[in-house]
Amino acid sequence: MNSASDKPGQTLQTVERALSFLEYVAAADTAPTVQQVSAGLGLNITTCYHLMRTLLARGYLERRADATLRLGAGVGALFRSYQLNFNTSDKLAGIVAELAAATAETSFLSTLDDRNVILKVLVEGSQPLRVSGLYVGLTGNEPHRASGKAVLAHADADLRDEIIERNLTGMSPTAQRRSRAALLQELKEVQERGWAVDIDSSPGITALGAPFFKHDGSIAGAVGIVAPTSRFGEARETLVGTVLDSAGKATAVLRLAP
């Protein structure tokens, strides 16, 4: 017989709180104190001190002389290990760097791995006003991300439907039917024109993505840029052409791969 802790969907509250603590510190604009974390998370200050001491002892947090907190070396070790699993070639990473240099916009490359579209390479743009908030390892919400739509438009039907269904969870049956129909129509258009766009899902931000393919013709991922919507509108044709060119280069790299 399974114990209560083995039941699907159950989580350990202490672990949830520790992870929330780390996420709060990571997302804070300025290094917070334990008191600020306590207030921000709505947790008892004594609980937060216990969590802080544990995370400090494991190296996941560091406490500065002014009592503010930042992520520790333990997080860096986890991240480095996470990145090593991506196996993105230097040539593909170079294509993203070239795209960022050509457009001056934040550029990315995402791949289809383990039935998810995962951001693998990210190069910030050189514009004074540029998009931030993306990170290597970003995944999920594929029907709304430009990279996700670029991949879904060329994925096999079973995988496409699985990912769509996963992202419609929580909607009413009527809303699911409408969203699915609208998305399938959009994916058909994406396939025909060769690129996908996400305008203002995050206010004032537009993402553009174009698919690239493996040597056997199956979808590998998407390469693209993220820019303020105002700037995208002004340079739309140029940006689309440059992104398509980068996607073509990525496909050429994979066709030459052993």
Side-chain angles (χ1 to χ4, degrees), residues 48-78:
C48 280
Y49 269 108
H50 286 314
L51 293 171
M52 179 190 71
R53 293 188 186 106
T54 301
L55 294 168
L56 287 171
R58 295 300 300 267
Y60 293 122
L61 279 181
E62 292 180 3
R63 198 178 192 195
R64 296 171 172 173
D66 62 359
T68 59
L69 302 168
R70 66 179 180 183
L71 298 182
V75 173
L78 290 177

PDB file of all heavy atoms in Angstrom, residues 48-78:
ATOM      1  N   CYS A  48      11.199  31.387   8.143  1.00  0.00           N
ATOM      2  CA  CYS A  48      12.139  31.898   7.141  1.00  0.00           C
ATOM      3  C   CYS A  48      13.582  31.828   7.629  1.00  0.00           C
ATOM      4  O   CYS A  48      14.492  31.552   6.849  1.00  0.00           O
ATOM      5  CB  CYS A  48      11.767  33.332   6.766  1.00  0.00           C
ATOM      6  SG  CYS A  48      10.397  33.416   5.594  1.00  0.00           S
ATOM      7  N   TYR A  49      13.800  32.055   8.916  1.00  0.00           N
ATOM      8  CA  TYR A  49      15.158  31.928   9.449  1.00  0.00           C
ATOM      9  C   TYR A  49      15.635  30.472   9.357  1.00  0.00           C
ATOM     10  O   TYR A  49      16.793  30.207   9.014  1.00  0.00           O
ATOM     11  CB  TYR A  49      15.219  32.417  10.896  1.00  0.00           C
ATOM     12  CG  TYR A  49      15.568  33.882  11.016  1.00  0.00           C
ATOM     13  CD1 TYR A  49      14.608  34.812  11.394  1.00  0.00           C
ATOM     14  CD2 TYR A  49      16.858  34.325  10.737  1.00  0.00           C
ATOM     15  CE1 TYR A  49      14.929  36.170  11.492  1.00  0.00           C
ATOM     16  CE2 TYR A  49      17.190  35.679  10.831  1.00  0.00           C
ATOM     17  CZ  TYR A  49      16.216  36.585  11.216  1.00  0.00           C
ATOM     18  OH  TYR A  49      16.546  37.919  11.308  1.00  0.00           O
ATOM     19  N   HIS A  50      14.747  29.531   9.658  1.00  0.00           N
ATOM     20  CA  HIS A  50      15.113  28.118   9.536  1.00  0.00           C
ATOM     21  C   HIS A  50      15.460  27.775   8.084  1.00  0.00           C
ATOM     22  O   HIS A  50      16.457  27.085   7.806  1.00  0.00           O
ATOM     23  CB  HIS A  50      13.965  27.226  10.016  1.00  0.00           C
ATOM     24  CG  HIS A  50      13.786  27.208  11.498  1.00  0.00           C
ATOM     25  ND1 HIS A  50      14.831  27.069  12.388  1.00  0.00           N
ATOM     26  CD2 HIS A  50      12.660  27.301  12.266  1.00  0.00           C
ATOM     27  CE1 HIS A  50      14.381  27.077  13.626  1.00  0.00           C
ATOM     28  NE2 HIS A  50      13.052  27.223  13.587  1.00  0.00           N
ATOM     29  N   LEU A  51      14.626  28.246   7.149  1.00  0.00           N
ATOM     30  CA  LEU A  51      14.879  27.985   5.736  1.00  0.00           C
ATOM     31  C   LEU A  51      16.193  28.620   5.301  1.00  0.00           C
ATOM     32  O   LEU A  51      16.996  27.995   4.591  1.00  0.00           O
ATOM     33  CB  LEU A  51      13.722  28.541   4.895  1.00  0.00           C
ATOM     34  CG  LEU A  51      12.366  27.853   5.050  1.00  0.00           C
ATOM     35  CD1 LEU A  51      11.285  28.649   4.327  1.00  0.00           C
ATOM     36  CD2 LEU A  51      12.408  26.425   4.505  1.00  0.00           C
ATOM     37  N   MET A  52      16.422  29.860   5.727  1.00  0.00           N
ATOM     38  CA  MET A  52      17.643  30.554   5.342  1.00  0.00           C
ATOM     39  C   MET A  52      18.880  29.811   5.838  1.00  0.00           C
ATOM     40  O   MET A  52      19.841  29.612   5.079  1.00  0.00           O
ATOM     41  CB  MET A  52      17.625  31.974   5.908  1.00  0.00           C
ATOM     42  CG  MET A  52      18.887  32.778   5.564  1.00  0.00           C
ATOM     43  SD  MET A  52      18.990  34.342   6.479  1.00  0.00           S
ATOM     44  CE  MET A  52      19.339  33.736   8.132  1.00  0.00           C
ATOM     45  N   ARG A  53      18.865  29.394   7.102  1.00  0.00           N
ATOM     46  CA  ARG A  53      20.035  28.706   7.649  1.00  0.00           C
ATOM     47  C   ARG A  53      20.320  27.398   6.903  1.00  0.00           C
ATOM     48  O   ARG A  53      21.475  27.044   6.661  1.00  0.00           O
ATOM     49  CB  ARG A  53      19.815  28.430   9.142  1.00  0.00           C
ATOM     50  CG  ARG A  53      19.776  29.694  10.005  1.00  0.00           C
ATOM     51  CD  ARG A  53      19.765  29.348  11.484  1.00  0.00           C
ATOM     52  NE  ARG A  53      19.579  30.549  12.292  1.00  0.00           N
ATOM     53  CZ  ARG A  53      18.459  30.873  12.922  1.00  0.00           C
ATOM     54  NH1 ARG A  53      17.408  30.072  12.855  1.00  0.00           N
ATOM     55  NH2 ARG A  53      18.376  31.979  13.631  1.00  0.00           N
ATOM     56  N   THR A  54      19.261  26.688   6.554  1.00  0.00           N
ATOM     57  CA  THR A  54      19.435  25.439   5.813  1.00  0.00           C
ATOM     58  C   THR A  54      20.029  25.708   4.436  1.00  0.00           C
ATOM     59  O   THR A  54      20.967  25.022   4.001  1.00  0.00           O
ATOM     60  CB  THR A  54      18.081  24.716   5.665  1.00  0.00           C
ATOM     61  OG1 THR A  54      17.543  24.442   6.960  1.00  0.00           O
ATOM     62  CG2 THR A  54      18.253  23.404   4.898  1.00  0.00           C
ATOM     63  N   LEU A  55      19.501  26.702   3.740  1.00  0.00           N
ATOM     64  CA  LEU A  55      19.984  27.024   2.397  1.00  0.00           C
ATOM     65  C   LEU A  55      21.398  27.588   2.430  1.00  0.00           C
ATOM     66  O   LEU A  55      22.198  27.340   1.514  1.00  0.00           O
ATOM     67  CB  LEU A  55      19.021  28.010   1.724  1.00  0.00           C
ATOM     68  CG  LEU A  55      17.622  27.437   1.421  1.00  0.00           C
ATOM     69  CD1 LEU A  55      16.651  28.547   1.034  1.00  0.00           C
ATOM     70  CD2 LEU A  55      17.708  26.390   0.313  1.00  0.00           C
ATOM     71  N   LEU A  56      21.719  28.338   3.489  1.00  0.00           N
ATOM     72  CA  LEU A  56      23.091  28.822   3.651  1.00  0.00           C
ATOM     73  C   LEU A  56      24.048  27.649   3.862  1.00  0.00           C
ATOM     74  O   LEU A  56      25.134  27.599   3.264  1.00  0.00           O
ATOM     75  CB  LEU A  56      23.183  29.776   4.850  1.00  0.00           C
ATOM     76  CG  LEU A  56      22.579  31.171   4.691  1.00  0.00           C
ATOM     77  CD1 LEU A  56      22.557  31.889   6.033  1.00  0.00           C
ATOM     78  CD2 LEU A  56      23.366  31.985   3.670  1.00  0.00           C
ATOM     79  N   ALA A  57      23.640  26.710   4.691  1.00  0.00           N
ATOM     80  CA  ALA A  57      24.500  25.560   4.990  1.00  0.00           C
ATOM     81  C   ALA A  57      24.759  24.713   3.763  1.00  0.00           C
ATOM     82  O   ALA A  57      25.852  24.139   3.619  1.00  0.00           O
ATOM     83  CB  ALA A  57      23.860  24.710   6.094  1.00  0.00           C
ATOM     84  N   ARG A  58      23.771  24.636   2.851  1.00  0.00           N
ATOM     85  CA  ARG A  58      23.934  23.838   1.632  1.00  0.00           C
ATOM     86  C   ARG A  58      24.576  24.611   0.490  1.00  0.00           C
ATOM     87  O   ARG A  58      24.817  24.067  -0.584  1.00  0.00           O
ATOM     88  CB  ARG A  58      22.586  23.294   1.182  1.00  0.00           C
ATOM     89  CG  ARG A  58      21.944  22.299   2.145  1.00  0.00           C
ATOM     90  CD  ARG A  58      22.835  21.068   2.355  1.00  0.00           C
ATOM     91  NE  ARG A  58      23.076  20.360   1.121  1.00  0.00           N
ATOM     92  CZ  ARG A  58      22.348  19.337   0.692  1.00  0.00           C
ATOM     93  NH1 ARG A  58      21.338  18.900   1.425  1.00  0.00           N
ATOM     94  NH2 ARG A  58      22.624  18.737  -0.443  1.00  0.00           N
ATOM     95  N   GLY A  59      24.848  25.892   0.703  1.00  0.00           N
ATOM     96  CA  GLY A  59      25.522  26.690  -0.323  1.00  0.00           C
ATOM     97  C   GLY A  59      24.617  27.273  -1.376  1.00  0.00           C
ATOM     98  O   GLY A  59      25.080  27.837  -2.362  1.00  0.00           O
ATOM     99  N   TYR A  60      23.284  27.185  -1.161  1.00  0.00           N
ATOM    100  CA  TYR A  60      22.354  27.718  -2.151  1.00  0.00           C
ATOM    101  C   TYR A  60      22.054  29.198  -1.915  1.00  0.00           C
ATOM    102  O   TYR A  60      21.469  29.854  -2.776  1.00  0.00           O
ATOM    103  CB  TYR A  60      21.064  26.908  -2.152  1.00  0.00           C
ATOM    104  CG  TYR A  60      21.267  25.496  -2.642  1.00  0.00           C
ATOM    105  CD1 TYR A  60      20.949  24.414  -1.844  1.00  0.00           C
ATOM    106  CD2 TYR A  60      21.822  25.253  -3.896  1.00  0.00           C
ATOM    107  CE1 TYR A  60      21.163  23.108  -2.286  1.00  0.00           C
ATOM    108  CE2 TYR A  60      22.044  23.966  -4.339  1.00  0.00           C
ATOM    109  CZ  TYR A  60      21.710  22.896  -3.534  1.00  0.00           C
ATOM    110  OH  TYR A  60      21.939  21.614  -3.975  1.00  0.00           O
ATOM    111  N   LEU A  61      22.444  29.707  -0.758  1.00  0.00           N
ATOM    112  CA  LEU A  61      22.310  31.123  -0.457  1.00  0.00           C
ATOM    113  C   LEU A  61      23.619  31.643   0.119  1.00  0.00           C
ATOM    114  O   LEU A  61      24.398  30.882   0.706  1.00  0.00           O
ATOM    115  CB  LEU A  61      21.205  31.373   0.574  1.00  0.00           C
ATOM    116  CG  LEU A  61      19.746  31.410   0.132  1.00  0.00           C
ATOM    117  CD1 LEU A  61      18.871  31.697   1.340  1.00  0.00           C
ATOM    118  CD2 LEU A  61      19.500  32.433  -0.966  1.00  0.00           C
ATOM    119  N   GLU A  62      23.847  32.944  -0.041  1.00  0.00           N
ATOM    120  CA  GLU A  62      24.940  33.633   0.629  1.00  0.00           C
ATOM    121  C   GLU A  62      24.346  34.837   1.349  1.00  0.00           C
ATOM    122  O   GLU A  62      23.407  35.471   0.845  1.00  0.00           O
ATOM    123  CB  GLU A  62      25.997  34.110  -0.379  1.00  0.00           C
ATOM    124  CG  GLU A  62      26.761  32.987  -1.048  1.00  0.00           C
ATOM    125  CD  GLU A  62      27.793  33.513  -2.035  1.00  0.00           C
ATOM    126  OE1 GLU A  62      27.933  34.757  -2.148  1.00  0.00           O
ATOM    127  OE2 GLU A  62      28.442  32.692  -2.700  1.00  0.00           O
ATOM    128  N   ARG A  63      24.855  35.139   2.538  1.00  0.00           N
ATOM    129  CA  ARG A  63      24.383  36.292   3.299  1.00  0.00           C
ATOM    130  C   ARG A  63      25.508  37.309   3.377  1.00  0.00           C
ATOM    131  O   ARG A  63      26.606  37.003   3.876  1.00  0.00           O
ATOM    132  CB  ARG A  63      23.934  35.884   4.699  1.00  0.00           C
ATOM    133  CG  ARG A  63      23.036  36.927   5.365  1.00  0.00           C
ATOM    134  CD  ARG A  63      22.568  36.448   6.732  1.00  0.00           C
ATOM    135  NE  ARG A  63      21.503  37.285   7.255  1.00  0.00           N
ATOM    136  CZ  ARG A  63      21.109  37.280   8.513  1.00  0.00           C
ATOM    137  NH1 ARG A  63      21.682  36.455   9.393  1.00  0.00           N
ATOM    138  NH2 ARG A  63      20.129  38.070   8.920  1.00  0.00           N
ATOM    139  N   ARG A  64      25.239  38.508   2.886  1.00  0.00           N
ATOM    140  CA  ARG A  64      26.255  39.550   2.856  1.00  0.00           C
ATOM    141  C   ARG A  64      26.383  40.213   4.226  1.00  0.00           C
ATOM    142  O   ARG A  64      25.575  40.004   5.115  1.00  0.00           O
ATOM    143  CB  ARG A  64      25.880  40.597   1.806  1.00  0.00           C
ATOM    144  CG  ARG A  64      25.849  40.053   0.382  1.00  0.00           C
ATOM    145  CD  ARG A  64      25.259  41.072  -0.562  1.00  0.00           C
ATOM    146  NE  ARG A  64      25.380  40.663  -1.956  1.00  0.00           N
ATOM    147  CZ  ARG A  64      24.817  41.317  -2.968  1.00  0.00           C
ATOM    148  NH1 ARG A  64      24.069  42.382  -2.736  1.00  0.00           N
ATOM    149  NH2 ARG A  64      24.984  40.896  -4.207  1.00  0.00           N
ATOM    150  N   ALA A  65      27.420  41.078   4.333  1.00  0.00           N
ATOM    151  CA  ALA A  65      27.673  41.777   5.593  1.00  0.00           C
ATOM    152  C   ALA A  65      26.514  42.675   5.999  1.00  0.00           C
ATOM    153  O   ALA A  65      26.293  42.916   7.192  1.00  0.00           O
ATOM    154  CB  ALA A  65      28.960  42.596   5.486  1.00  0.00           C
ATOM    155  N   ASP A  66      25.759  43.165   4.999  1.00  0.00           N
ATOM    156  CA  ASP A  66      24.617  44.032   5.306  1.00  0.00           C
ATOM    157  C   ASP A  66      23.335  43.236   5.540  1.00  0.00           C
ATOM    158  O   ASP A  66      22.240  43.801   5.577  1.00  0.00           O
ATOM    159  CB  ASP A  66      24.401  45.069   4.202  1.00  0.00           C
ATOM    160  CG  ASP A  66      24.079  44.432   2.854  1.00  0.00           C
ATOM    161  OD1 ASP A  66      24.035  43.187   2.766  1.00  0.00           O
ATOM    162  OD2 ASP A  66      23.869  45.185   1.876  1.00  0.00           O
ATOM    163  N   ALA A  67      23.453  41.919   5.673  1.00  0.00           N
ATOM    164  CA  ALA A  67      22.337  41.003   5.966  1.00  0.00           C
ATOM    165  C   ALA A  67      21.436  40.725   4.772  1.00  0.00           C
ATOM    166  O   ALA A  67      20.422  40.049   4.909  1.00  0.00           O
ATOM    167  CB  ALA A  67      21.490  41.501   7.147  1.00  0.00           C
ATOM    168  N   THR A  68      21.803  41.221   3.591  1.00  0.00           N
ATOM    169  CA  THR A  68      21.014  40.894   2.403  1.00  0.00           C
ATOM    170  C   THR A  68      21.450  39.536   1.862  1.00  0.00           C
ATOM    171  O   THR A  68      22.555  39.060   2.136  1.00  0.00           O
ATOM    172  CB  THR A  68      21.167  41.964   1.311  1.00  0.00           C
ATOM    173  OG1 THR A  68      22.557  42.079   0.950  1.00  0.00           O
ATOM    174  CG2 THR A  68      20.639  43.301   1.788  1.00  0.00           C
ATOM    175  N   LEU A  69      20.562  38.934   1.082  1.00  0.00           N
ATOM    176  CA  LEU A  69      20.781  37.582   0.583  1.00  0.00           C
ATOM    177  C   LEU A  69      20.948  37.555  -0.923  1.00  0.00           C
ATOM    178  O   LEU A  69      20.325  38.343  -1.641  1.00  0.00           O
ATOM    179  CB  LEU A  69      19.590  36.693   0.977  1.00  0.00           C
ATOM    180  CG  LEU A  69      19.289  36.587   2.469  1.00  0.00           C
ATOM    181  CD1 LEU A  69      17.930  35.928   2.683  1.00  0.00           C
ATOM    182  CD2 LEU A  69      20.381  35.801   3.185  1.00  0.00           C
ATOM    183  N   ARG A  70      21.765  36.638  -1.401  1.00  0.00           N
ATOM    184  CA  ARG A  70      21.892  36.383  -2.828  1.00  0.00           C
ATOM    185  C   ARG A  70      22.082  34.887  -3.032  1.00  0.00           C
ATOM    186  O   ARG A  70      22.388  34.154  -2.091  1.00  0.00           O
ATOM    187  CB  ARG A  70      23.060  37.154  -3.429  1.00  0.00           C
ATOM    188  CG  ARG A  70      24.426  36.718  -2.929  1.00  0.00           C
ATOM    189  CD  ARG A  70      25.526  37.521  -3.588  1.00  0.00           C
ATOM    190  NE  ARG A  70      26.838  37.108  -3.115  1.00  0.00           N
ATOM    191  CZ  ARG A  70      27.976  37.705  -3.504  1.00  0.00           C
ATOM    192  NH1 ARG A  70      27.936  38.725  -4.333  1.00  0.00           N
ATOM    193  NH2 ARG A  70      29.132  37.272  -3.042  1.00  0.00           N
ATOM    194  N   LEU A  71      21.893  34.437  -4.269  1.00  0.00           N
ATOM    195  CA  LEU A  71      22.072  33.024  -4.570  1.00  0.00           C
ATOM    196  C   LEU A  71      23.526  32.627  -4.370  1.00  0.00           C
ATOM    197  O   LEU A  71      24.440  33.392  -4.671  1.00  0.00           O
ATOM    198  CB  LEU A  71      21.645  32.726  -6.002  1.00  0.00           C
ATOM    199  CG  LEU A  71      20.173  32.979  -6.348  1.00  0.00           C
ATOM    200  CD1 LEU A  71      19.899  32.585  -7.781  1.00  0.00           C
ATOM    201  CD2 LEU A  71      19.250  32.226  -5.401  1.00  0.00           C
ATOM    202  N   GLY A  72      23.726  31.407  -3.879  1.00  0.00           N
ATOM    203  CA  GLY A  72      25.066  30.935  -3.594  1.00  0.00           C
ATOM    204  C   GLY A  72      25.639  30.054  -4.696  1.00  0.00           C
ATOM    205  O   GLY A  72      24.986  29.773  -5.713  1.00  0.00           O
ATOM    206  N   ALA A  73      26.864  29.605  -4.474  1.00  0.00           N
ATOM    207  CA  ALA A  73      27.570  28.806  -5.479  1.00  0.00           C
ATOM    208  C   ALA A  73      26.875  27.484  -5.761  1.00  0.00           C
ATOM    209  O   ALA A  73      27.011  26.921  -6.848  1.00  0.00           O
ATOM    210  CB  ALA A  73      29.007  28.559  -5.019  1.00  0.00           C
ATOM    211  N   GLY A  74      26.112  26.985  -4.804  1.00  0.00           N
ATOM    212  CA  GLY A  74      25.393  25.729  -5.022  1.00  0.00           C
ATOM    213  C   GLY A  74      24.413  25.813  -6.174  1.00  0.00           C
ATOM    214  O   GLY A  74      24.233  24.851  -6.933  1.00  0.00           O
ATOM    215  N   VAL A  75      23.776  26.964  -6.319  1.00  0.00           N
ATOM    216  CA  VAL A  75      22.856  27.171  -7.440  1.00  0.00           C
ATOM    217  C   VAL A  75      23.623  27.163  -8.754  1.00  0.00           C
ATOM    218  O   VAL A  75      23.182  26.588  -9.754  1.00  0.00           O
ATOM    219  CB  VAL A  75      22.079  28.489  -7.269  1.00  0.00           C
ATOM    220  CG1 VAL A  75      21.249  28.797  -8.507  1.00  0.00           C
ATOM    221  CG2 VAL A  75      21.179  28.419  -6.049  1.00  0.00           C
ATOM    222  N   GLY A  76      24.809  27.785  -8.747  1.00  0.00           N
ATOM    223  CA  GLY A  76      25.632  27.806  -9.958  1.00  0.00           C
ATOM    224  C   GLY A  76      26.036  26.410 -10.391  1.00  0.00           C
ATOM    225  O   GLY A  76      26.044  26.090 -11.583  1.00  0.00           O
ATOM    226  N   ALA A  77      26.355  25.560  -9.433  1.00  0.00           N
ATOM    227  CA  ALA A  77      26.729  24.182  -9.754  1.00  0.00           C
ATOM    228  C   ALA A  77      25.565  23.442 -10.402  1.00  0.00           C
ATOM    229  O   ALA A  77      25.739  22.696 -11.372  1.00  0.00           O
ATOM    230  CB  ALA A  77      27.197  23.459  -8.502  1.00  0.00           C
ATOM    231  N   LEU A  78      24.362  23.634  -9.862  1.00  0.00           N
ATOM    232  CA  LEU A  78      23.176  23.003 -10.451  1.00  0.00           C
ATOM    233  C   LEU A  78      22.945  23.510 -11.872  1.00  0.00           C
ATOM    234  O   LEU A  78      22.638  22.736 -12.778  1.00  0.00           O
ATOM    235  CB  LEU A  78      21.942  23.303  -9.597  1.00  0.00           C
ATOM    236  CG  LEU A  78      21.859  22.620  -8.228  1.00  0.00           C
ATOM    237  CD1 LEU A  78      20.608  23.087  -7.502  1.00  0.00           C
ATOM    238  CD2 LEU A  78      21.852  21.108  -8.373  1.00  0.00           C
TER     239      LEU A  78
END
